[in-house]
Structures are given as structure tokens and as C-alpha cells.
Amino acid sequence: MAFTLHINDKAPNFDLIATDGIRYKLNDFKSSKLLVIFFTCNHCPYVIGSDEDTRAIADKYIPNGVEFVGINSNSANTYEEDDYDHMVTRMEENDFPWVYLYDETQEVAMAYGALRTPHYYLFNEARKLIYIGRAVDNPRDTSKVQVRDLERAIDEYLAGKEISVPVTNPIGCNVKWDGKDKHWMPADACDLL
């Protein structure tokens, strides 16, 4: 079995603390029509470069019943700025329109097969995976974006169409696994295409 979830796989459950001090489970987002779960962090230049673009996407679709959940699974032992306290500060400074969860044990990243930051997963109402990969083709410099994969997938789903490109490769830094070199990835982790 490949490391990362496949199209039509069910979203794995989680129970994680958010920057607001509340613990959230997958079921806490059951009322949303679509759920975007994305693996992110505090330090990655691809995340920082695309934060405002991700905010714009969230602001565009939240009124249509789409909910956004960011998960930081990076080891704070690799980059101290990826710890929980820095997450709280980051949310206070940026007021992002998503819940920001801390996966300190990295069990959720393993369950989803998170490869990079950022890495986006789009789930339908039944919480089956309908899109996985990148949000845009140039997350580090969104002024150069030519392809908006996540928005296309959301638009197609909301219009009752089949997702034309359900899988893309995420673009960004690899997840920082605890106790490993900062460039290490699990042996069965690979590009999605």
C-alpha cells in the first residue's frame, strides 16, 4: 500500500489540540459540505509564500459550506519555530480563517500520508477523498501561479461535475519527521504521479 491516501479513501479520524486551546476531532467538522485538510507548518517558505493565497481560497469557499483545517505535524526538534507556542503566535498575528491543529506525535501525518508542507486533501460530505495534492502550481511565489488545482476541484465538485484532475503532486518542504534528518521521508513515501 502506498504511503499516502488514495482517491475515495475515508478521512482518518484525529483528536488534536488547536491554537485556540480546544481539542478537535474529525467529527467536529461534520456539518461542512466539503472539508479541506492541509498539512502546513510555521517556517516553510512554500507555506509562508502561499498563506495569503490559501486565505483567499478559504474566504472564497467558506460561504459555500467548505471548511478548512490546517495541521502542523512538523517536529519542533527539527525546527523550533514549528512548536505549539509558535503556532499560537502565528495565528494571533495572522488570524487565518481555519482551525490550526498540532499533531505533535505525527500519528495523523502518518495516517494521511502527508508528504510536504503544504499538502492539501479535499473530502466530500461522506468524508471520502476527492482531491489530493497542491493548491497552486507555485506556492512559494503566488504571483507566478498559472494553475489553481484546489479551486478547480472545489468548483467542479460544487457544480456536480467529476473532478477532472483528482491527483497532483504537492509542492513544498517535506514533513519534518522527529528524530530524522530534515530531508528524510519514509521509504514508501513517493510522488503521487
Side-chain angles (χ1 to χ4, degrees):
M1 185 177 134
F3 178 70
T4 304
L5 292 179
H6 294 96
I7 296 301
N8 291 320
D9 283 351
K10 291 278 281 182
N13 196 16
F14 51 78
D15 182 357
L16 299 172
I17 192 165
T19 53
D20 61 10
I22 299 170
R23 294 193 74 84
Y24 291 86
K25 296 180 180 177
L26 179 66
N27 201 39
D28 290 322
F29 306 98
K30 65 184 176 186
S31 63
S32 56
K33 189 181 300 183
L34 285 171
L35 180 63
V36 176
I37 293 177
F38 62 105
F39 288 82
T40 185
C41 66
N42 298 327
H43 87 277
C44 171
Y46 294 88
V47 168
I48 293 167
S50 61
D51 272 341
E52 289 308 312
D53 198 70
T54 302
R55 180 198 305 273
I57 295 169
D59 286 343
K60 177 179 178 180
Y61 291 103
I62 287 171
N64 295 315
V66 183
E67 200 152 9
F68 288 72
V69 175
I71 300 176
N72 174 20
S73 298
N74 274 4
S75 170
N77 293 321
T78 306
Y79 283 96
E80 184 182 334
E81 57 264 49
D82 281 333
D83 70 8
Y84 179 75
D85 289 342
H86 283 89
M87 289 173 59
V88 172
T89 300
R90 192 160 189 270
M91 284 298 279
E92 287 172 352
E93 291 173 351
N94 293 282
D95 193 28
F96 292 124
W98 51 77
V99 174
Y100 193 17
L101 306 176
Y102 188 39
D103 178 24
E104 186 174 13
T105 67
Q106 302 187 310
E107 291 173 10
V108 176
M110 289 297 284
Y112 280 75
L115 296 171
R116 305 202 173 274
T117 54
H119 187 168
Y120 296 82
Y121 297 72
L122 177 63
F123 296 95
N124 65 14
E125 277 182 290
R127 295 305 176 249
K128 289 192 173 183
L129 186 66
I130 58 172
Y131 172 78
I132 183 171
R134 65 193 190 189
V136 295
D137 63 343
N138 198 328
R140 194 165 181 163
D141 182 357
T142 54
S143 70
K144 298 178 180 174
V145 166
Q146 295 183 10
V147 181
R148 299 187 154 278
D149 300 278
L150 179 61
E151 287 179 80
R152 179 185 57 231
I154 294 171
D155 286 340
E156 289 173 344
Y157 182 83
L158 292 176
K161 299 177 181 175
E162 188 173 327
I163 308 291
S164 58
V165 182
V167 179
T168 61
N169 284 320
I171 299 171
C173 301
N174 61 293
V175 172
K176 306 307 179 198
W177 299 99
D178 195 43
K180 304 292 185 183
D181 176 82
K182 64 182 178 180
H183 299 294
W184 181 87
M185 293 182 83
D188 51 352
C190 60
D191 282 345
L192 304 180
L193 294 174

